[in-house]
């Protein structure tokens, strides 16, 4: 092609009309052909996902986000588990309240005054119980070692928002465990003798979670799971602090060491028991040294170690020592003086589970139980805290032999009567004065 | 590196490489391709995959311009004379290449689907690099005349053969009943008719517009705007309508050359302004080549390479003998048909979409052999043109399409 073929001699080849027809035909081909095109040139590639596939993908995505959440909670649990310890051989957890101070669930039965605490690092620490005892939902141990404190900010439960995520973290026998839940509300609750505030959540609290810390998503401790009258409740940090203060008071220590509660004599008891001065034993917990030593509600303590007592401050000899020989009490019972020797601490405490035998109890329990079937609301008995289902142990210092005898004594009108009642492991006395 | 600096490097290095390869008696195109390979991800990585994607549009424009030029070989007055023979020669040469490749694949134990798909792909010839070699050497003569028409037809045959094989595979794999037979035929064969007829119609419309407007435009700059606009419109619309940009661009050229006498200045302008585009096109094509693939060629790849080359050589020879072409065509046409590039790669992408199960084998073989053909092809074409005595002195600055 020596001469360029690109210089065409095209004029006159096609008439304008013919050309117009061609243009219209080409346009028609494009429009019609485009309309007739198969929408899916390759059927197997362009099939839209089926309904089931869409559902499967969606559920997969949702599952993935749930798994992400679980991982997040697990991360929180891993972070905070260094602030928790496992309590000895029990399957309960303790929260490192301070570097050398651990808050743990209270025991319903007398427990040893020292135990081993196992932190996350694995090296067991010796812990001495400094708070505890009957009626308190918590106990506390002083440890010889340094822990990472869980309590960082005392803001507690006040800034919780309903629905916000909380994670309960505890130390099981096989590492730490966690359960996420939603905060519901804070509400007042009664835990033993502690009027507390409970952080209510959607979590079902159960025994393995005893002592668990409840953390928010910023890993701030907001509550501690503690036993509460037969169930478990997450108590706010303020309530735990209150319980600790209670437990560390002389009264609380007395209770923790001996399982006894002493109250000043009021006018009615003084007259009824014919006691001049001293402290009235109002409550005794079974299995504790006071119970084992024979002390019972209605006794009046006149002297400790040879010195007379008139106020709780005079009981210092009972708290201060811890000498194994024990301490001698001068006790006024049934208008007689007698001496009772008490040994504090773990000495003489029966292993838990054998508490029913109650060796050394002064008086064998009556063969027949005197279950209280009914308590009239507003009556002196109700005011004294006697509840239906409690057992009547003694009336005016003597165990009734038959229900009829007990009823006869109680029915005597116009005279005050001192009753001793068993409510669970606690025996307490009350002077019922007619109105 | 950003797109602009990549582009600058591409242009300057392409020019340098073009100068360098002249000493080696190798076409400029090969220099551009080698520059592209060196700049691209396979070697230096100065032109990254992202740059390639961003610059792809320039490649498309360049390819549209090239095919526009190729389309001008279909000048009716001339094509009427030699058309039938060229059609037959192309058919013989294409059929033989396809048959040898398919037979070789079957012999190697590939499935009939793979064998036929590879046979159809083997028909394609790269128009761009062949045209560039023709231009660079200012070649003219019987071989040059028939070469460009044959290459244009080769690609149309390739599209037809590929569509037929595709529908055969569709039918064989998805035959559920008479209703689905009809719909399968419709789904797999309609695109073929659409790509041919629709693309020609689109090209005709754009070409008519271009021809009508060209008579009103005299200034070089304006001509360039008109041409660029028409080509971009044509390539863009064919993408929108699922047409073949290749066929449509050729149809624009064919319409121009047949319907207007103003195409002369237009092509003058084009040949003066388009070299940068071509340089970019070939450098990008080179950068897109993955040298590592040559290693994965394998026995099947070698069979494909040799089968296609053998089929083209033998088919061109036998066909030219049979149809009584000039001696230059008989002896050298086959050598000039070696290049293979864009269309083959495009078909591989289609196979990956449509026949995902066959794609791994076919892609490896085709993409690896494209690397070889793309480098060997222009050299072989130049050799054929030189041996046929159709190249002119370089200083002869005349326009050859």
């Amino acid at each position: 092609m020596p001469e360029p073929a690109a210089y065409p001699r095209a004029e006159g080849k096609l008439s304008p009309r013919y050309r117009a027809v061609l243009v219209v035909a080409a346009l028609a081909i494009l429009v019609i052909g485009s309309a007739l095109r198969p929408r899916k040139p390759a059927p197997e590639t362009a099939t839209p996902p089926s309904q089931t596939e869409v559902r499967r993908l969606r559920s997969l995505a949702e599952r993935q986000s749930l798994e992400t959440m679980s991982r997040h909670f697990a991360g929180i649990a891993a972070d905070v588990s260094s602030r928790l310890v496992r309590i000895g051989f029990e399957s309960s957890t303790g929260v490192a309240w301070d570097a050398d101070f651990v808050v743990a669930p209270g025991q319903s039965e007398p427990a040893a005054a020292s135990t081993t605490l196992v932190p996350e690092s694995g090296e067991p620490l010796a812990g001495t119980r400094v708070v505890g005892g009957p009626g308190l939902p918590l106990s506390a141990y002083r440890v010889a070692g340094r822990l990472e404190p869980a309590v960082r900010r005392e803001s507690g439960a006040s800034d919780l928002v309903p629905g916000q995520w909380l994670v309960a973290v505890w130390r099981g026998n096989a590492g730490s465990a966690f359960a996420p839940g939603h905060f519901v509300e804070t509400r007042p609750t009664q835990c033993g003798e502690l009027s507390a505030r409970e952080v209510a959540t959607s979590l079902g609290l159960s025994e393995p979670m005893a002592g668990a810390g409840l953390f928010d998503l910023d890993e701030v401790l907001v509550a501690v799971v503690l036993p509460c009258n037969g169930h478990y409740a997450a108590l706010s940090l303020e309530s735990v602090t209150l319980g600790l203060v209670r437990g560390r008071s002389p009264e609380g220590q007395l209770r923790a060491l001996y399982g006894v509660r002493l109250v000043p004599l009021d006018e009615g008891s003084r007259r009824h028991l014919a006691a001049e001065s001293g402290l009235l034993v109002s409550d005794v917990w079974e299995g504790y040294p006071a119970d084992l030593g024979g002390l019972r509600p209605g006794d009046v303590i006149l002297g400790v170690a040879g010195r007379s007592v008139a106020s709780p401050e005079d009981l210092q000899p009972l708290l201060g020592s811890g000498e194994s020989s024990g301490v001698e009490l001068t006790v006024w019972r049934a208008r007689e003086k007698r001496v009772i020797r008490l040994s504090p601490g773990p000495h003489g405490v029966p292993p838990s589970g054998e508490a029913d035998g109650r060796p050394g109890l002064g008086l064998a329990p009556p063969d027949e139980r005197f279950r209280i079937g009914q308590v009239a609301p507003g009556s002196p008995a109700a005011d004294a805290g006697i509840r239906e289902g409690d057992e009547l142990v003694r009336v005016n210092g003597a165990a009734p032999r038959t229900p009829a005898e007990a009823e006869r004594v109680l029915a005597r009108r116009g005279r005050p009567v001192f009753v001793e009642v068993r409510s669970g492991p606690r025996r307490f006395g009350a002077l019922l004065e007619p109105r | 590196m950003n797109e602009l600096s990549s582009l600058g490097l591409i242009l300057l290095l392409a020019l340098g490489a073009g100068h360098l390869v002249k000493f080696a008696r190798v076409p400029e195109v090969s220099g551009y391709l080698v520059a592209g390979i060196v700049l691209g991800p396979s070697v230096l990585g100065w032109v990254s995959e992202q740059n390639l994607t961003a610059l792809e549009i320039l490649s498309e424009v360049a390819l549209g311009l090239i095919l526009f030029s190729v389309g001008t070989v279909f000048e009716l007055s001339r094509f009427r004379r030699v058309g039938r023979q060229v059609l037959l020669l192309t058919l013989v040469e294409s059929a033989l290449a396809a048959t040898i490749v398919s037979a070789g694949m079957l012999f190697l134990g590939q499935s009939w689907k793979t064998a036929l798909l590879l046979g159809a792909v083997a028909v394609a010839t790269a128009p761009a690099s062949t045209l560039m070699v023709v231009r660079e050497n200012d070649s003219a003569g019987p071989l040059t005349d028939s070469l460009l028409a044959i290459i244009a037809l080769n690609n149309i045959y390739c599209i037809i053969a590929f569509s037929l094989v595709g529908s055969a595979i569709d039918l064989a794999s998805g035959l559920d009943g008479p209703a689905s037979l009809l719909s399968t035929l419709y789904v797999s064969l309609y695109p073929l008719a659409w790509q041919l007829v629709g693309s020609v119609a689109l090209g005709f419309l754009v070409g008519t517009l271009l021809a009508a407007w060209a008579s009103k435009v005299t200034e070089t700059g304006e001509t360039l705007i008109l041409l660029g606009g028409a080509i971009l419109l044509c390539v863009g619309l064919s993408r929108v309508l699922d047409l073949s940009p290749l066929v449509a661009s050729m149809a624009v050229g064919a319409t121009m050359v047949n319907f207007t006498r103003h195409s002369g200045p237009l092509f003058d302008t084009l040949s003066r302004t388009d070299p940068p585009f071509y340089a970019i096109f070939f450098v990008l094509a080179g950068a897109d080549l993955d040298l590592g693939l040559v290693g994965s060629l394998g026995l099947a790849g070698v069979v494909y390479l040799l089968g296609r080359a053998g089929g083209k050589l033998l088919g061109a020879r036998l066909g030219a003998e049979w149809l009584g072409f000039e001696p230059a065509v008989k002896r050298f046409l086959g050598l000039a048909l070696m290049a293979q590039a864009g269309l083959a790669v495009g078909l591989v992408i289609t196979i990956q979409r449509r026949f995902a199960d066959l794609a791994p084998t076919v892609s490896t073989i085709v993409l690896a052999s494209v690397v070889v053909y793309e480098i060997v092809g222009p050299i072989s074409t130049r050799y054929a043109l030189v041996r046929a005595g159709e190249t002119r002195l370089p200083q002869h600055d005349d326009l050859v399409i």
Side-chain angles (χ1 to χ4, degrees):
Chain A
M1 199 163 62
E3 283 312 306
Y7 291 93
R9 301 149 298 277
E11 64 270 39
K13 270 185 185 169
L14 290 173
S15 70
R17 185 186 291 174
Y18 186 42
R19 205 181 290 189
V21 169
L22 276 180
V23 167
V24 170
L27 271 175
I29 287 173
L30 280 182
V31 170
I32 297 170
S34 171
L36 285 179
R37 259 184 309 160
R39 287 297 126 195
K40 299 162 204 158
E44 58 270 274
T45 58
T47 37
S50 68
Q51 233 15 55
T52 44
E53 182 72 355
V54 167
R55 234 175 288 131
R56 198 180 69 83
L57 287 175
R58 190 179 301 142
S59 92
L60 213 61
E62 286 163 358
R63 184 173 143 192
Q64 197 154 31
S65 72
L66 287 180
E67 280 168 354
T68 311
M69 276 173 75
S70 297
R71 267 202 301 282
H72 187 72
F73 292 133
I76 291 175
D79 283 350
V80 301
S81 69
S82 60
R83 308 172 203 167
L84 304 174
V85 294
R86 191 156 63 83
I87 309 286
F89 303 104
E90 304 169 49
S91 60
S92 67
T93 305
V95 175
W97 201 257
D98 215 332
D100 60 348
F101 191 74
V102 171
V103 170
Q107 292 91 1
S108 53
E109 283 154 2
S114 63
T115 187
T116 49
L117 307 176
V118 187
E120 192 194 27
S121 55
E123 198 59 44
L125 300 171
T128 315
R129 185 146 52 92
V130 289
V131 173
L136 262 191
L138 55 85
S139 57
Y141 295 90
R142 177 83 55 199
V143 293
R146 291 205 67 79
L147 297 166
E148 190 188 344
V151 180
R152 308 244 160 126
R153 197 178 59 165
E154 290 287 325
S155 60
S158 55
D159 49 5
L160 291 177
V161 181
Q164 98 173 53
W165 282 104
L166 295 174
V167 193
V169 185
W170 65 95
R171 297 282 313 278
N173 287 324
S176 60
F178 69 94
H182 298 288
F183 170 69
V184 178
E185 57 172 357
T186 58
R187 59 185 174 220
T189 189
Q190 193 66 31
C191 266
E193 289 170 17
L194 188 67
S195 298
R197 286 200 77 76
E198 177 187 0
V199 177
T201 63
S202 62
L203 284 162
L205 303 177
S206 58
E207 195 181 352
M209 295 160 81
L214 206 56
F215 293 86
D216 68 9
L217 296 186
D218 295 324
E219 302 180 0
V220 173
L221 181 72
V222 297
V224 180
V225 177
L226 294 171
C228 230
N229 300 350
H231 66 282
Y232 288 89
L235 298 192
S236 71
L237 300 193
E238 290 86 343
S239 301
V240 173
T241 309
L242 186 66
L244 289 174
V245 170
R246 273 291 168 81
R248 293 169 108 167
S249 68
E251 191 201 332
Q253 291 192 35
L254 200 60
R255 186 188 303 191
L257 287 172
Y258 298 100
V260 67
R261 185 152 83 109
L262 306 177
V263 295
L265 282 168
D266 62 5
E267 200 47 49
S269 334
R270 195 174 311 216
R271 207 168 40 239
H272 183 78
L273 300 170
E276 288 303 313
S277 66
L279 292 168
L280 175 66
V281 175
S282 72
D283 300 61
V284 172
W285 280 269
E286 288 179 359
Y288 280 83
D291 178 33
L292 300 177
L295 217 53
R296 62 199 201 196
D299 291 351
V300 178
I301 293 174
L302 301 174
V304 175
R307 292 170 54 194
S308 64
V309 292
S311 67
E313 287 77 52
D314 299 332
L315 295 169
Q316 207 52 47
L318 275 174
L319 305 176
S321 62
E323 65 256 45
S324 51
S325 56
V327 63
E328 274 185 3
L329 304 180
T330 315
V331 173
W332 181 252
R333 178 190 294 171
R335 295 165 198 251
E336 287 174 15
K337 269 189 193 173
R338 58 178 72 192
V339 172
I340 286 179
R341 173 171 287 275
L342 293 187
S343 319
H347 312 287
V349 174
S352 56
E354 289 177 24
D356 256 19
R358 281 188 299 278
L361 196 68
L363 192 84
D367 292 337
E368 208 167 339
R369 304 256 163 152
F370 300 94
R371 196 164 296 282
I372 294 163
Q374 189 190 348
V375 179
S379 65
D383 290 349
I386 300 173
R387 301 279 176 269
E388 288 169 18
D390 291 349
E391 280 169 40
L392 186 67
V393 181
R394 289 187 188 81
V395 181
N396 284 340
R401 278 182 292 274
T402 63
E405 186 189 327
E407 273 171 15
R408 201 171 54 242
V409 176
L410 286 172
R412 258 185 245 149
R413 291 188 164 271
R415 286 207 211 147
V417 58
F418 193 91
V419 294
E420 185 183 336
V421 171
R422 184 207 312 276
S423 170
R426 166 184 175 227
R427 292 205 314 276
F428 64 96
L431 183 68
L432 307 181
E433 289 179 283
R435 301 199 171 141
Chain B
M1 195 175 288
N2 65 16
E3 279 74 34
L4 282 182
S5 42
S6 300
L7 209 55
L9 263 185
I10 285 170
L11 285 174
L12 296 177
L13 276 167
L15 188 66
H19 284 317
L20 268 181
V21 294
K22 273 195 182 142
F23 295 107
R25 299 184 179 237
V26 166
E28 269 178 347
V29 176
S30 300
Y32 296 162
L33 286 167
V34 170
I37 293 173
V38 171
L39 281 177
S42 326
V43 184
L44 289 178
W46 291 359
V47 177
S48 65
E49 302 279 0
Q50 288 95 316
N51 295 155
L52 285 177
T53 315
L55 295 172
E56 202 182 271
I57 186 156
L58 289 174
S59 289
E60 297 217 6
V61 175
L63 190 62
L65 289 172
I66 291 168
L67 291 164
F68 172 66
S69 303
V70 171
T72 55
V73 300
F74 295 107
E75 194 200 346
L76 280 178
S77 56
R78 192 170 57 83
F79 203 71
R80 264 199 207 111
R81 265 188 286 118
V82 296
R84 191 175 154 275
Q85 269 154 314
V86 168
L87 282 171
L88 282 174
L89 176 57
T90 313
L91 192 61
V92 170
E93 157 266 304
S94 302
L96 211 57
T99 311
I100 292 180
V101 167
S102 295
M105 290 300 147
L106 284 176
F107 182 72
L108 283 182
Q110 300 284 355
S111 71
W112 65 269
K113 296 174 183 175
T114 309
L116 288 185
L117 279 176
L118 282 171
V121 174
V123 173
T125 316
S129 44
T130 311
L131 178 73
M132 291 312 290
V133 174
V134 168
R135 271 201 187 187
E136 185 196 349
N137 293 295
D138 256 357
S139 74
L143 176 59
T144 310
D145 264 356
S146 44
L147 178 60
L148 291 174
I150 286 171
I151 282 174
L153 287 174
N154 251 332
N155 289 314
I156 294 173
Y157 285 178
C158 174
I159 292 174
I160 295 173
F162 183 80
S163 300
L164 291 176
V165 170
S167 50
I169 293 175
D170 278 346
L171 281 176
S173 53
L175 200 59
D176 294 336
S180 98
L181 169 69
L182 269 181
S183 68
T184 311
L185 274 179
Y186 165 64
V187 164
S188 53
L189 282 183
Y190 186 89
L192 168 60
W194 173 237
Q195 285 213 327
L196 293 179
V197 179
S199 303
V200 170
L202 176 66
F204 172 75
L205 282 178
V206 174
T208 308
L209 174 78
L210 192 55
W213 210 331
S215 57
K216 312 280 184 295
V217 170
T218 49
E219 220 177 285
T220 312
E222 287 181 339
T223 312
L224 200 62
I225 292 171
L226 177 64
L227 198 61
I231 291 296
L232 285 179
L233 187 70
C234 178
V235 174
L237 279 180
S238 54
R239 286 251 176 271
V240 171
L241 295 171
D242 283 338
L243 293 171
S244 160
L246 190 141
V247 177
S249 301
M250 286 202 292
V252 175
T255 310
M256 275 297 292
V257 82
N258 285 307
F259 288 173
T260 179
R261 59 198 146 170
H262 296 283
S263 53
L266 210 65
F267 288 117
D268 278 343
T269 312
L270 183 58
S271 61
R272 258 184 248 117
T273 46
D274 58 9
F277 282 106
Y278 299 153
I280 291 167
F281 175 79
F282 288 107
V283 174
L284 289 182
D288 239 347
L289 294 181
D290 187 350
L291 273 192
L293 282 177
V294 179
S296 64
L297 202 55
L299 181 59
V302 173
V303 168
Y304 174 86
L305 270 178
L306 296 180
R308 178 174 175 273
K312 293 261 173 200
L313 287 171
L314 197 64
R317 180 80 196 212
L318 293 179
E321 292 276 6
W322 171 46
L323 294 163
F325 273 83
E326 290 87 344
V329 177
K330 284 181 199 164
R331 290 183 60 195
F332 298 112
L333 176 64
L335 276 178
L337 293 175
M338 287 300 111
Q340 188 172 40
L343 180 61
V345 175
L347 292 179
V348 165
I349 293 168
T350 309
I351 290 170
Q352 282 165 351
R353 270 210 308 267
R354 237 174 109 180
F355 312 112
D357 47 332
L358 307 174
T361 319
V362 177
S363 316
T364 315
I365 293 174
V366 174
L367 294 181
S369 46
V370 159
V371 179
V372 177
Y373 279 135
E374 184 88 337
I375 294 169
V376 174
I379 301 173
S380 162
T381 305
R382 182 179 184 275
Y383 174 80
L385 292 174
V386 171
R387 288 295 306 276
E390 298 195 359
T391 53
R392 292 200 230 165
L393 293 174
Q395 66 266 32
H396 197 298
D397 191 21
D398 203 351
L399 180 77
V400 176
I401 298 295

